[in-house]
Amino acid sequence: QVQLVESGGGVVQPGRSLRLSCAASGFTFSSYGMHWVRQAPGKGLEWVAAIWYDGSNKDYTDSVKGRFTISRDNSKNTLYLQMNSLRAEDTAVYYCARDVAGTIATPDYWGQGTLVTVSS
Amino acid sequence: QSALTQPASVSGSPGQSITISCTGTSSDVGSYNLVSWYQQHPGKAPKLMIYEVSKRPSGLSNRFSGSKSGNTASLTISGLQAEDEADYSCCSYAGSSTFVFGSGTKVTVL
């Protein structure tokens, strides 16, 4: 069955960096697009970034452009999110999600999330 | 990239039907048939309930249905059950590999 396990969350000071990982199993990782979606405490879901199956196309929500980088290593079945210049408003549970397609169409399976807290 | 608009809460009695609306713009909901709906119980990961406006993932109850008219998509839950009590969020493709989620709706089963 599809499994997505996020890691790398924690408490970090404003302005610092953090890298999240998402280990995938139960499907052919290299065939599917992937997403990062976040949820601030008590708030709704917010799409953060997506990457095509081969890494050739990536896009981001405006608030993280220039600060966050999504990437993938298909040889390790792992998705990453490099987060730089973190701000208090980046505090959230970060979910990775598989897409139904190799390109990008719809997030379907989700991991359990990893909490990122940006605080001094 | 403003969030899609959903009612904050919707409630119904067991067995009743409820409908949750999701209003976007001509740049997202109105332009693409890539609207999806997610159910999320407290402390849990979201679960895909509807994709491409009205399609159900394999094995999902047919009590859940989706539709779209113009810039507004809707999720209907018929035969409401206690286990349907959860938060529901819509999501739309917004072009150039970007997406926008709704503000979320809390469904309460009375």
Side-chain angles (χ1 to χ4, degrees), chain B residues 39 41 63-64 77-88 107-109:
Chain B
Q39 177 192 67
H41 288 104
R63 297 188 299 106
F64 293 85
I77 308 174
S78 58
L80 200 61
Q81 298 180 2
E83 60 261 35
D84 299 332
E85 185 162 296
D87 292 327
Y88 291 82
V107 168
T108 300
V109 181

Side-chain angles (χ1 to χ4, degrees), chain B residues 79-100:
Chain B
L80 200 61
Q81 298 180 2
E83 60 261 35
D84 299 332
E85 185 162 296
D87 292 327
Y88 291 82
S89 297
C90 59
C91 176
S92 175
Y93 183 71
S96 301
S97 295
T98 67
F99 291 79
V100 59

